[in-house]
mmCIF file of all heavy atoms in Angstrom:
data_model
loop_
_atom_site.group_PDB
_atom_site.id
_atom_site.type_symbol
_atom_site.label_atom_id
_atom_site.label_comp_id
_atom_site.label_asym_id
_atom_site.label_seq_id
_atom_site.Cartn_x
_atom_site.Cartn_y
_atom_site.Cartn_z
ATOM 1 N N ALA A 1 111.093 -180.560 -86.357
ATOM 2 C CA ALA A 1 111.791 -181.846 -86.155
ATOM 3 C C ALA A 1 110.907 -182.786 -85.336
ATOM 4 O O ALA A 1 110.794 -183.992 -85.704
ATOM 5 C CB ALA A 1 113.103 -181.563 -85.436
ATOM 6 N N LEU A 2 110.300 -182.289 -84.214
ATOM 7 C CA LEU A 2 109.372 -183.138 -83.420
ATOM 8 C C LEU A 2 108.193 -183.584 -84.223
ATOM 9 O O LEU A 2 107.774 -184.798 -84.183
ATOM 10 C CB LEU A 2 108.954 -182.417 -82.166
ATOM 11 C CG LEU A 2 109.966 -182.284 -81.020
ATOM 12 C CD1 LEU A 2 109.420 -181.423 -79.919
ATOM 13 C CD2 LEU A 2 110.383 -183.636 -80.530
ATOM 14 N N ALA A 3 107.613 -182.698 -85.012
ATOM 15 C CA ALA A 3 106.479 -183.106 -85.811
ATOM 16 C C ALA A 3 106.815 -184.182 -86.835
ATOM 17 O O ALA A 3 106.076 -185.161 -86.992
ATOM 18 C CB ALA A 3 105.950 -181.864 -86.552
ATOM 19 N N SER A 4 108.035 -184.060 -87.444
ATOM 20 C CA SER A 4 108.496 -185.086 -88.383
ATOM 21 C C SER A 4 108.658 -186.396 -87.720
ATOM 22 O O SER A 4 108.260 -187.462 -88.271
ATOM 23 C CB SER A 4 109.761 -184.581 -89.064
ATOM 24 O OG SER A 4 109.590 -183.407 -89.753
ATOM 25 N N ILE A 5 109.241 -186.399 -86.514
ATOM 26 C CA ILE A 5 109.495 -187.635 -85.780
ATOM 27 C C ILE A 5 108.147 -188.292 -85.406
ATOM 28 O O ILE A 5 107.961 -189.490 -85.661
ATOM 29 C CB ILE A 5 110.289 -187.341 -84.501
ATOM 30 C CG1 ILE A 5 111.718 -186.966 -84.928
ATOM 31 C CG2 ILE A 5 110.352 -188.602 -83.633
ATOM 32 C CD1 ILE A 5 112.569 -186.489 -83.733
ATOM 33 N N PHE A 6 107.197 -187.515 -84.862
ATOM 34 C CA PHE A 6 105.961 -188.117 -84.421
ATOM 35 C C PHE A 6 105.124 -188.600 -85.573
ATOM 36 O O PHE A 6 104.494 -189.658 -85.528
ATOM 37 C CB PHE A 6 105.178 -187.099 -83.614
ATOM 38 C CG PHE A 6 105.805 -186.721 -82.290
ATOM 39 C CD1 PHE A 6 105.679 -185.443 -81.787
ATOM 40 C CD2 PHE A 6 106.521 -187.635 -81.593
ATOM 41 C CE1 PHE A 6 106.252 -185.067 -80.592
ATOM 42 C CE2 PHE A 6 107.130 -187.312 -80.373
ATOM 43 C CZ PHE A 6 107.018 -186.008 -79.872
ATOM 44 N N ILE A 7 105.100 -187.825 -86.659
ATOM 45 C CA ILE A 7 104.342 -188.275 -87.868
ATOM 46 C C ILE A 7 104.965 -189.506 -88.460
ATOM 47 O O ILE A 7 104.219 -190.443 -88.863
ATOM 48 C CB ILE A 7 104.322 -187.161 -88.904
ATOM 49 C CG1 ILE A 7 103.473 -185.994 -88.365
ATOM 50 C CG2 ILE A 7 103.715 -187.660 -90.242
ATOM 51 C CD1 ILE A 7 103.469 -184.717 -89.272
ATOM 52 N N THR A 8 106.266 -189.613 -88.434
ATOM 53 C CA THR A 8 106.907 -190.847 -88.930
ATOM 54 C C THR A 8 106.604 -192.043 -88.049
ATOM 55 O O THR A 8 106.336 -193.174 -88.550
ATOM 56 C CB THR A 8 108.422 -190.664 -89.038
ATOM 57 O OG1 THR A 8 108.692 -189.529 -89.884
ATOM 58 C CG2 THR A 8 109.087 -191.866 -89.579
ATOM 59 N N MET A 9 106.605 -191.863 -86.755
ATOM 60 C CA MET A 9 106.306 -192.926 -85.819
ATOM 61 C C MET A 9 104.889 -193.450 -85.980
ATOM 62 O O MET A 9 104.638 -194.629 -85.784
ATOM 63 C CB MET A 9 106.543 -192.451 -84.374
ATOM 64 C CG MET A 9 107.992 -192.172 -84.008
ATOM 65 S SD MET A 9 108.209 -191.488 -82.350
ATOM 66 C CE MET A 9 107.529 -192.742 -81.343
ATOM 67 N N GLY A 10 103.950 -192.536 -86.333
ATOM 68 C CA GLY A 10 102.588 -192.985 -86.505
ATOM 69 C C GLY A 10 102.151 -193.061 -87.938
ATOM 70 O O GLY A 10 100.964 -192.870 -88.275
ATOM 71 N N LYS A 11 103.085 -193.317 -88.808
ATOM 72 C CA LYS A 11 102.805 -193.408 -90.242
ATOM 73 C C LYS A 11 101.727 -194.393 -90.537
ATOM 74 O O LYS A 11 101.807 -195.508 -90.115
ATOM 75 C CB LYS A 11 104.086 -193.680 -91.032
ATOM 76 C CG LYS A 11 103.875 -193.557 -92.534
ATOM 77 C CD LYS A 11 105.203 -193.766 -93.209
ATOM 78 C CE LYS A 11 105.111 -193.547 -94.735
ATOM 79 N NZ LYS A 11 106.417 -193.722 -95.447
ATOM 80 N N GLY A 12 100.694 -193.943 -91.251
ATOM 81 C CA GLY A 12 99.590 -194.891 -91.579
ATOM 82 C C GLY A 12 98.472 -194.872 -90.537
ATOM 83 O O GLY A 12 97.401 -195.385 -90.868
ATOM 84 N N THR A 13 98.721 -194.262 -89.396
ATOM 85 C CA THR A 13 97.674 -194.285 -88.308
ATOM 86 C C THR A 13 97.153 -192.900 -88.022
ATOM 87 O O THR A 13 96.278 -192.766 -87.145
ATOM 88 C CB THR A 13 98.268 -194.934 -87.073
ATOM 89 O OG1 THR A 13 99.352 -194.180 -86.580
ATOM 90 C CG2 THR A 13 98.639 -196.376 -87.322
ATOM 91 N N MET A 14 97.688 -191.867 -88.568
ATOM 92 C CA MET A 14 97.281 -190.494 -88.273
ATOM 93 C C MET A 14 97.190 -189.704 -89.507
ATOM 94 O O MET A 14 97.815 -189.963 -90.554
ATOM 95 C CB MET A 14 98.258 -189.867 -87.298
ATOM 96 C CG MET A 14 99.658 -189.533 -87.854
ATOM 97 S SD MET A 14 100.702 -188.605 -86.724
ATOM 98 C CE MET A 14 100.891 -189.777 -85.427
ATOM 99 N N ASN A 15 96.333 -188.683 -89.448
ATOM 100 C CA ASN A 15 96.133 -187.756 -90.574
ATOM 101 C C ASN A 15 96.090 -186.323 -90.054
ATOM 102 O O ASN A 15 95.050 -185.912 -89.478
ATOM 103 C CB ASN A 15 94.866 -188.063 -91.349
ATOM 104 C CG ASN A 15 94.628 -187.154 -92.510
ATOM 105 O OD1 ASN A 15 95.541 -186.517 -93.012
ATOM 106 N ND2 ASN A 15 93.412 -187.155 -93.005
ATOM 107 N N VAL A 16 97.173 -185.595 -90.200
ATOM 108 C CA VAL A 16 97.281 -184.258 -89.636
ATOM 109 C C VAL A 16 96.957 -183.199 -90.673
ATOM 110 O O VAL A 16 97.058 -182.019 -90.422
ATOM 111 C CB VAL A 16 98.606 -184.031 -88.997
ATOM 112 C CG1 VAL A 16 98.894 -184.921 -87.868
ATOM 113 C CG2 VAL A 16 99.741 -184.091 -90.042
ATOM 114 N N THR A 17 96.590 -183.678 -91.876
ATOM 115 C CA THR A 17 96.317 -182.726 -92.994
ATOM 116 C C THR A 17 95.217 -181.726 -92.627
ATOM 117 O O THR A 17 95.286 -180.552 -92.923
ATOM 118 C CB THR A 17 95.980 -183.464 -94.288
ATOM 119 O OG1 THR A 17 96.976 -184.413 -94.551
ATOM 120 C CG2 THR A 17 95.851 -182.473 -95.420
ATOM 121 N N GLY A 18 94.214 -182.247 -91.918
ATOM 122 C CA GLY A 18 93.091 -181.332 -91.584
ATOM 123 C C GLY A 18 93.508 -180.300 -90.596
ATOM 124 O O GLY A 18 92.807 -179.255 -90.493
ATOM 125 N N TYR A 19 94.590 -180.469 -89.854
ATOM 126 C CA TYR A 19 95.088 -179.466 -88.926
ATOM 127 C C TYR A 19 96.094 -178.532 -89.561
ATOM 128 O O TYR A 19 96.354 -177.482 -89.014
ATOM 129 C CB TYR A 19 95.713 -180.171 -87.686
ATOM 130 C CG TYR A 19 94.701 -180.933 -86.926
ATOM 131 C CD1 TYR A 19 94.458 -182.256 -87.192
ATOM 132 C CD2 TYR A 19 93.975 -180.366 -85.876
ATOM 133 C CE1 TYR A 19 93.545 -183.010 -86.458
ATOM 134 C CE2 TYR A 19 93.087 -181.083 -85.114
ATOM 135 C CZ TYR A 19 92.838 -182.407 -85.430
ATOM 136 O OH TYR A 19 91.953 -183.121 -84.652
ATOM 137 N N LEU A 20 96.633 -178.917 -90.662
ATOM 138 C CA LEU A 20 97.598 -178.047 -91.344
ATOM 139 C C LEU A 20 96.870 -177.020 -92.175
ATOM 140 O O LEU A 20 97.408 -175.900 -92.305
ATOM 141 C CB LEU A 20 98.513 -178.952 -92.337
ATOM 142 C CG LEU A 20 99.436 -179.862 -91.639
ATOM 143 C CD1 LEU A 20 100.114 -180.766 -92.725
ATOM 144 C CD2 LEU A 20 100.524 -179.095 -90.895
ATOM 145 N N PHE A 21 95.716 -177.303 -92.670
ATOM 146 C CA PHE A 21 94.993 -176.367 -93.543
ATOM 147 C C PHE A 21 93.592 -176.176 -92.964
ATOM 148 O O PHE A 21 92.930 -177.175 -92.614
ATOM 149 C CB PHE A 21 94.922 -176.842 -94.983
ATOM 150 C CG PHE A 21 96.252 -177.198 -95.548
ATOM 151 C CD1 PHE A 21 96.681 -178.522 -95.593
ATOM 152 C CD2 PHE A 21 97.101 -176.223 -96.027
ATOM 153 C CE1 PHE A 21 97.892 -178.854 -96.162
ATOM 154 C CE2 PHE A 21 98.332 -176.519 -96.574
ATOM 155 C CZ PHE A 21 98.748 -177.820 -96.590
ATOM 156 N N GLY A 22 93.112 -174.997 -92.901
ATOM 157 C CA GLY A 22 91.804 -174.721 -92.355
ATOM 158 C C GLY A 22 90.995 -173.838 -93.293
ATOM 159 O O GLY A 22 91.503 -173.331 -94.325
ATOM 160 N N SER A 23 89.750 -173.695 -92.992
ATOM 161 C CA SER A 23 88.847 -172.870 -93.816
ATOM 162 C C SER A 23 87.913 -172.056 -92.848
ATOM 163 O O SER A 23 87.366 -172.659 -91.950
ATOM 164 C CB SER A 23 87.982 -173.710 -94.735
ATOM 165 O OG SER A 23 87.055 -172.863 -95.436
ATOM 166 N N ILE A 24 87.818 -170.810 -93.128
ATOM 167 C CA ILE A 24 86.950 -169.942 -92.267
ATOM 168 C C ILE A 24 85.517 -170.310 -92.426
ATOM 169 O O ILE A 24 84.689 -169.958 -91.577
ATOM 170 C CB ILE A 24 87.216 -168.447 -92.601
ATOM 171 C CG1 ILE A 24 86.670 -167.595 -91.516
ATOM 172 C CG2 ILE A 24 86.633 -168.075 -93.986
ATOM 173 C CD1 ILE A 24 87.001 -166.094 -91.704
ATOM 174 N N TYR A 25 85.151 -171.005 -93.545
ATOM 175 C CA TYR A 25 83.755 -171.363 -93.771
ATOM 176 C C TYR A 25 83.324 -172.471 -92.912
ATOM 177 O O TYR A 25 82.135 -172.820 -92.837
ATOM 178 C CB TYR A 25 83.563 -171.716 -95.240
ATOM 179 C CG TYR A 25 83.735 -170.560 -96.208
ATOM 180 C CD1 TYR A 25 84.807 -170.505 -97.058
ATOM 181 C CD2 TYR A 25 82.814 -169.511 -96.166
ATOM 182 C CE1 TYR A 25 84.911 -169.442 -97.932
ATOM 183 C CE2 TYR A 25 82.984 -168.451 -97.013
ATOM 184 C CZ TYR A 25 84.024 -168.417 -97.886
ATOM 185 O OH TYR A 25 84.198 -167.362 -98.733
ATOM 186 N N THR A 26 84.241 -173.143 -92.163
ATOM 187 C CA THR A 26 83.857 -174.266 -91.303
ATOM 188 C C THR A 26 83.669 -173.829 -89.835
ATOM 189 O O THR A 26 83.470 -174.643 -88.996
ATOM 190 C CB THR A 26 84.988 -175.335 -91.340
ATOM 191 O OG1 THR A 26 86.232 -174.759 -90.849
ATOM 192 C CG2 THR A 26 85.183 -175.894 -92.697
ATOM 193 N N LEU A 27 83.651 -172.515 -89.595
ATOM 194 C CA LEU A 27 83.448 -172.049 -88.244
ATOM 195 C C LEU A 27 82.039 -172.357 -87.769
ATOM 196 O O LEU A 27 81.037 -172.187 -88.487
ATOM 197 C CB LEU A 27 83.655 -170.477 -88.184
ATOM 198 C CG LEU A 27 85.034 -169.965 -88.317
ATOM 199 C CD1 LEU A 27 85.028 -168.446 -88.353
ATOM 200 C CD2 LEU A 27 85.956 -170.420 -87.175
ATOM 201 N N ASP A 28 81.968 -172.857 -86.507
ATOM 202 C CA ASP A 28 80.604 -173.021 -85.926
ATOM 203 C C ASP A 28 80.448 -172.047 -84.793
ATOM 204 O O ASP A 28 81.312 -171.210 -84.512
ATOM 205 C CB ASP A 28 80.488 -174.472 -85.417
ATOM 206 C CG ASP A 28 81.597 -174.895 -84.459
ATOM 207 O OD1 ASP A 28 82.236 -174.008 -83.923
ATOM 208 O OD2 ASP A 28 81.746 -176.092 -84.321
ATOM 209 N N MET A 29 79.342 -172.177 -84.063
ATOM 210 C CA MET A 29 79.032 -171.173 -83.015
ATOM 211 C C MET A 29 80.048 -171.212 -81.841
ATOM 212 O O MET A 29 80.400 -170.205 -81.297
ATOM 213 C CB MET A 29 77.633 -171.429 -82.510
ATOM 214 C CG MET A 29 77.144 -170.328 -81.550
ATOM 215 S SD MET A 29 77.189 -168.680 -82.224
ATOM 216 C CE MET A 29 76.003 -168.837 -83.588
ATOM 217 N N ALA A 30 80.524 -172.401 -81.539
ATOM 218 C CA ALA A 30 81.505 -172.526 -80.504
ATOM 219 C C ALA A 30 82.826 -171.835 -80.872
ATOM 220 O O ALA A 30 83.448 -171.150 -80.027
ATOM 221 C CB ALA A 30 81.814 -174.013 -80.189
ATOM 222 N N ASP A 31 83.225 -171.936 -82.135
ATOM 223 C CA ASP A 31 84.404 -171.267 -82.618
ATOM 224 C C ASP A 31 84.200 -169.736 -82.537
ATOM 225 O O ASP A 31 85.120 -169.003 -82.154
ATOM 226 C CB ASP A 31 84.740 -171.689 -84.036
ATOM 227 C CG ASP A 31 85.081 -173.174 -84.158
ATOM 228 O OD1 ASP A 31 85.684 -173.695 -83.196
ATOM 229 O OD2 ASP A 31 84.720 -173.814 -85.223
ATOM 230 N N LEU A 32 83.026 -169.298 -82.930
ATOM 231 C CA LEU A 32 82.763 -167.837 -82.894
ATOM 232 C C LEU A 32 82.842 -167.319 -81.472
ATOM 233 O O LEU A 32 83.302 -166.226 -81.239
ATOM 234 C CB LEU A 32 81.405 -167.496 -83.479
ATOM 235 C CG LEU A 32 81.305 -167.536 -85.043
ATOM 236 C CD1 LEU A 32 79.851 -167.160 -85.490
ATOM 237 C CD2 LEU A 32 82.338 -166.580 -85.639
ATOM 238 N N LEU A 33 82.240 -168.090 -80.535
ATOM 239 C CA LEU A 33 82.310 -167.680 -79.092
ATOM 240 C C LEU A 33 83.772 -167.586 -78.615
ATOM 241 O O LEU A 33 84.145 -166.620 -77.907
ATOM 242 C CB LEU A 33 81.469 -168.608 -78.280
ATOM 243 C CG LEU A 33 79.983 -168.528 -78.474
ATOM 244 C CD1 LEU A 33 79.286 -169.613 -77.664
ATOM 245 C CD2 LEU A 33 79.425 -167.172 -78.158
ATOM 246 N N LEU A 34 84.556 -168.559 -79.021
ATOM 247 C CA LEU A 34 85.981 -168.573 -78.639
ATOM 248 C C LEU A 34 86.712 -167.334 -79.210
ATOM 249 O O LEU A 34 87.429 -166.633 -78.516
ATOM 250 C CB LEU A 34 86.642 -169.839 -79.047
ATOM 251 C CG LEU A 34 88.123 -169.965 -78.747
ATOM 252 C CD1 LEU A 34 88.385 -169.896 -77.231
ATOM 253 C CD2 LEU A 34 88.679 -171.298 -79.326
ATOM 254 N N VAL A 35 86.515 -167.129 -80.516
ATOM 255 C CA VAL A 35 87.202 -165.969 -81.172
ATOM 256 C C VAL A 35 86.653 -164.659 -80.563
ATOM 257 O O VAL A 35 87.440 -163.738 -80.386
ATOM 258 C CB VAL A 35 86.913 -166.048 -82.700
ATOM 259 C CG1 VAL A 35 87.447 -164.761 -83.428
ATOM 260 C CG2 VAL A 35 87.571 -167.257 -83.271
ATOM 261 N N GLY A 36 85.355 -164.594 -80.310
ATOM 262 C CA GLY A 36 84.812 -163.369 -79.692
ATOM 263 C C GLY A 36 85.406 -163.069 -78.334
ATOM 264 O O GLY A 36 85.694 -161.971 -77.979
ATOM 265 N N GLY A 37 85.529 -164.142 -77.544
ATOM 266 C CA GLY A 37 86.089 -163.978 -76.183
ATOM 267 C C GLY A 37 87.545 -163.493 -76.259
ATOM 268 O O GLY A 37 87.949 -162.614 -75.464
ATOM 269 N N VAL A 38 88.337 -164.129 -77.114
ATOM 270 C CA VAL A 38 89.728 -163.688 -77.265
ATOM 271 C C VAL A 38 89.817 -162.277 -77.762
ATOM 272 O O VAL A 38 90.619 -161.478 -77.304
ATOM 273 C CB VAL A 38 90.476 -164.639 -78.221
ATOM 274 C CG1 VAL A 38 91.863 -164.175 -78.473
ATOM 275 C CG2 VAL A 38 90.519 -166.072 -77.576
ATOM 276 N N THR A 39 88.954 -161.911 -78.733
ATOM 277 C CA THR A 39 88.935 -160.557 -79.251
ATOM 278 C C THR A 39 88.645 -159.545 -78.228
ATOM 279 O O THR A 39 89.225 -158.492 -78.113
ATOM 280 C CB THR A 39 87.974 -160.435 -80.435
ATOM 281 O OG1 THR A 39 88.314 -161.386 -81.445
ATOM 282 C CG2 THR A 39 87.992 -159.028 -81.006
ATOM 283 N N LEU A 40 87.660 -159.885 -77.352
ATOM 284 C CA LEU A 40 87.262 -158.983 -76.238
ATOM 285 C C LEU A 40 88.427 -158.768 -75.292
ATOM 286 O O LEU A 40 88.695 -157.625 -74.883
ATOM 287 C CB LEU A 40 86.059 -159.513 -75.506
ATOM 288 C CG LEU A 40 85.551 -158.690 -74.302
ATOM 289 C CD1 LEU A 40 85.079 -157.283 -74.811
ATOM 290 C CD2 LEU A 40 84.397 -159.394 -73.664
ATOM 291 N N ILE A 41 89.125 -159.857 -74.940
ATOM 292 C CA ILE A 41 90.259 -159.740 -74.028
ATOM 293 C C ILE A 41 91.375 -158.850 -74.628
ATOM 294 O O ILE A 41 91.921 -157.981 -73.973
ATOM 295 C CB ILE A 41 90.795 -161.125 -73.672
ATOM 296 C CG1 ILE A 41 89.717 -161.943 -72.859
ATOM 297 C CG2 ILE A 41 92.108 -161.049 -72.942
ATOM 298 C CD1 ILE A 41 90.117 -163.335 -72.594
ATOM 299 N N VAL A 42 91.618 -159.087 -75.942
ATOM 300 C CA VAL A 42 92.673 -158.295 -76.608
ATOM 301 C C VAL A 42 92.293 -156.832 -76.655
ATOM 302 O O VAL A 42 93.084 -155.911 -76.397
ATOM 303 C CB VAL A 42 92.913 -158.849 -78.021
ATOM 304 C CG1 VAL A 42 93.794 -157.876 -78.826
ATOM 305 C CG2 VAL A 42 93.563 -160.198 -77.941
ATOM 306 N N LEU A 43 91.029 -156.546 -76.958
ATOM 307 C CA LEU A 43 90.573 -155.137 -77.023
ATOM 308 C C LEU A 43 90.702 -154.460 -75.637
ATOM 309 O O LEU A 43 91.084 -153.304 -75.556
ATOM 310 C CB LEU A 43 89.143 -155.093 -77.489
ATOM 311 C CG LEU A 43 88.909 -155.429 -78.966
ATOM 312 C CD1 LEU A 43 87.410 -155.445 -79.297
ATOM 313 C CD2 LEU A 43 89.599 -154.420 -79.877
#
């Protein structure tokens, strides 16, 4: 509900599509370090 309200309020000025869908092929080194750190903590 909140997402619908905020997207409607900013209609035409925002594009959240890139955050709705992702691709593992776009990972960079910073992302790998973040995932590696979280994985280490979980382990």
Side-chain angles (χ1 to χ4, degrees):
L2 283 177
S4 301
I5 293 172
F6 294 147
I7 292 174
T8 302
M9 292 174 62
K11 189 174 182 180
T13 61
M14 68 173 65
N15 181 17
V16 298
T17 306
Y19 296 89
L20 291 173
F21 308 99
S23 175
I24 195 172
Y25 293 112
T26 61
L27 290 176
D28 55 20
M29 188 55 64
D31 297 327
L32 282 183
L33 291 175
L34 178 61
V35 174
V38 175
T39 302
L40 179 61
I41 293 173
V42 171
L43 290 175

